Structures are given as C-alpha cells and as structure tokens.
C-alpha cells in the first residue's frame, strides 16, 4: 500500500494560466474523489469517479474545471483561466467499492497559489 | 442535507490532560461518521470511523469517539494529550442511504498541546 500520490505538491502560477494536477490512487481502489480546501476550512467535495466514470460533480466545479480518469487508474484535474479565488489546497482521495462506510484515504494535496 | 458542526475552532490543552473535541451532525438518515487528523502541509489521515454496531469506537494513537444518536454527536476524546497530537482535526459525515458518496466536513478544530 503506497498510499494516494499527488503531483505536484505546490504550484504557483499567474492569473489566467491553465494548471493541471495529477492523482494516483491506491492501486486496488476504484473510487476516486477530488476535494478543495481553503484556509481555515474543511475540505469541500468537487467530484467523484467510479472507475473511469465521473458520477458526481459539485456546484463548486465551474465550467473552468474539468476532471478525467481515462483508464480508471490515475486522474487529472485541470483548471483553465485561473482566478485568485482558485488559490487552495486540492486534495485527492480514493476508496474501495462498496458501501458508503468505506473510508476515503487522502493524498498530501497540491497547494495552488495564484499570483 | 447533511452538515457537521465542530464547536471550537481552536482548543488548547496541557500535555497529559484530557482531549475533548466536539462534533455535532445533522442527517435525515443514519449517518456514517469519521474523524480525520491533518498535520501542516499534509493530507488527512483517518483516525476512526463509526458505521453501525458499537457506539464507542476506538481509533489510532489512543483516540476514541462515542456516537450518541439522541444528541446527534460524535465527540473525539483522548485521555492524555501528547505533544505529537498537535494538529487540526476534522469531523466528517456521509449518508448510509442512497445518494451521494461525498464526505461533508466540519470546519476543523486546531489542537494545541502546551508542555
């Protein structure tokens, strides 16, 4: 069990640029989640995949955000035309298939800073 | 809709003292409840979970929590605080019924341990 891996750990970019983050879940987990965490807040749900299918999207996920999980393994989260308000920690989690009591295991996150 | 309230954004205890972090939830169906810990610049680590069965749940690092349906609470305790317990703690809830797989988090409680 190598844990959930996220890359990069930190990203600094100028407003208006596009950024892409990668998440590698625990290998036997077929569910993958993205959350966003701003300073002083708990994580907020963005989207969720089961295998390659994106089954749920939060209203927080504006048109500038897109997430993929093309082969049901790793996932990418892209933000286009970044804005100051996108500055946050982006967390990825994964879990086993089954009931909702399966715990979600989190990566160390990607911290995005918009200049 | 489900929600979580964590009373006290910041709690300070002396080393060796009792730790009590409060969490109240709102859910129209039986909940699944989780406590996570987050150290600076890291992701979330699962401490413990309540699904069904025994209402007193034991987790890692000496923490435990008790599910009280009548009080809609899931408070986290540890008999004796260690310096290494200083971190931020998040309570989270999800539904047991049909619907979303997302976790809803509280705003977190930052625990400081005074030598």
């Amino acid at each position: 069990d190598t844990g959930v891996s996220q890359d990069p750990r930190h990203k600094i970019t100028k407003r208006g640029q596009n950024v892409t983050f990668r998440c590698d879940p625990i290998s036997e987990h077929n569910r993958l989640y993205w959350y966003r965490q701003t300073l002083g807040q708990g994580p907020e749900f963005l989207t969720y995949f089961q295998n390659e299918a994106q089954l749920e999207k939060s209203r927080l996920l504006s048109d500038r955000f897109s997430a993929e999980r093309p082969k049901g393994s790793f996932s990418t989260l892209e933000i286009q035309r970044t804005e100051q308000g996108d500055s946050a920690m982006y967390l990825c989690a994964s879990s086993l298939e089954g009931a909702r009591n399966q715990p979600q295991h989190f990566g160390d996150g990607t911290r995005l800073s918009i200049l | 809709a489900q929600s979580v309230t964590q009373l006290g954004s910041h709690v300070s205890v002396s080393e060796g003292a009792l730790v009590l972090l409060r969490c109240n939830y709102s859910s129209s169906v039986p909940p699944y409840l989780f406590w996570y810990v987050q150290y600076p610049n890291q992701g979330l680590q699962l401490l413990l979970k309540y699904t069904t069965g025994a209402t007193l749940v034991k987790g890692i690092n000496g923490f435990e929590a008790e599910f009280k349906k009548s009080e809609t609470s899931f408070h986290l305790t540890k008999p004796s605080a260690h310096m290494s317990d200083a971190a931020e703690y998040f309570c989270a809830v999800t539904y047991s019924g049909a619907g979303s797989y997302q976790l809803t988090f509280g705003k977190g409680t930052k625990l400081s341990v005074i030598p």
Side-chain angles (χ1 to χ4, degrees):
Chain A
D1 181 353
T2 57
V4 177
S5 177
Q6 292 189 245
D7 183 71
R9 291 293 312 278
H10 303 275
K11 179 71 176 178
I12 301 173
T13 191
K14 294 182 179 179
R15 184 168 55 88
Q17 297 295 305
N18 299 342
V19 294
T20 301
F21 311 140
R22 177 180 170 122
C23 171
D24 287 89
I26 294 171
S27 57
E28 62 267 30
H29 288 182
N30 63 354
R31 289 189 180 147
L32 187 147
Y33 312 79
W34 285 98
Y35 290 82
R36 181 174 71 185
Q37 185 179 22
T38 53
L39 207 60
Q41 302 293 320
E44 295 174 293
F45 172 79
L46 292 177
T47 190
Y48 145 67
F49 291 83
Q50 181 157 317
N51 299 313
E52 65 277 8
Q54 188 173 17
L55 297 185
E56 189 176 355
K57 291 167 61 173
S58 162
R59 282 174 288 182
L60 291 175
L61 213 65
S62 75
D63 292 344
R64 297 184 298 105
F65 287 69
S66 63
E68 294 182 344
R69 195 182 182 197
K71 297 183 179 179
S73 56
F74 72 92
S75 175
T76 59
L77 177 68
E78 181 184 14
I79 308 174
Q80 296 182 327
R81 305 181 303 281
T82 52
E83 301 174 355
Q84 291 284 352
D86 297 332
S87 294
M89 173 82 90
Y90 290 84
L91 294 164
C92 177
S94 68
S95 72
L96 289 168
E97 187 171 1
R100 284 169 182 73
N101 60 0
Q102 291 291 343
Q104 296 179 23
H105 298 266
F106 285 80
D108 283 340
T110 294
R111 183 170 295 283
L112 175 64
S113 298
I114 307 297
L115 300 178
Chain B
Q2 57 197 22
S3 65
V4 173
T5 302
Q6 292 184 240
L7 289 176
S9 59
H10 196 169
V11 170
S12 292
V13 299
S14 298
E15 192 174 14
L18 172 72
V19 175
L20 171 61
L21 304 181
R22 299 178 186 274
C23 172
N24 288 87
Y25 69 90
S26 170
S27 175
S28 56
V29 297
Y32 294 141
L33 294 156
F34 305 83
W35 274 101
Y36 285 86
V37 62
Q38 186 175 36
Y39 296 97
N41 297 315
Q42 292 187 22
L44 281 72
Q45 180 183 6
L46 180 68
L47 281 176
L48 49 80
K49 67 176 185 178
Y50 168 78
T51 55
T52 57
T55 56
L56 183 62
V57 180
K58 294 187 184 300
I60 63 171
N61 301 338
F63 285 94
E64 61 182 37
E66 186 171 10
F67 171 65
K68 292 187 176 181
K69 184 179 178 181
S70 61
E71 298 177 7
T72 61
S73 69
F74 190 57
H75 301 331
L76 182 71
T77 60
K78 182 173 181 178
S80 176
H82 295 171
M83 296 299 295
S84 60
D85 295 327
E88 191 150 23
Y89 293 79
F90 292 94
C91 182
V93 65
T94 190
Y95 284 125
S96 59
S100 174
Y101 282 84
Q102 65 176 274
L103 285 174
T104 299
F105 286 86
K107 292 187 175 182
T109 297
K110 187 173 183 179
L111 175 67
S112 298
V113 181
I114 304 165

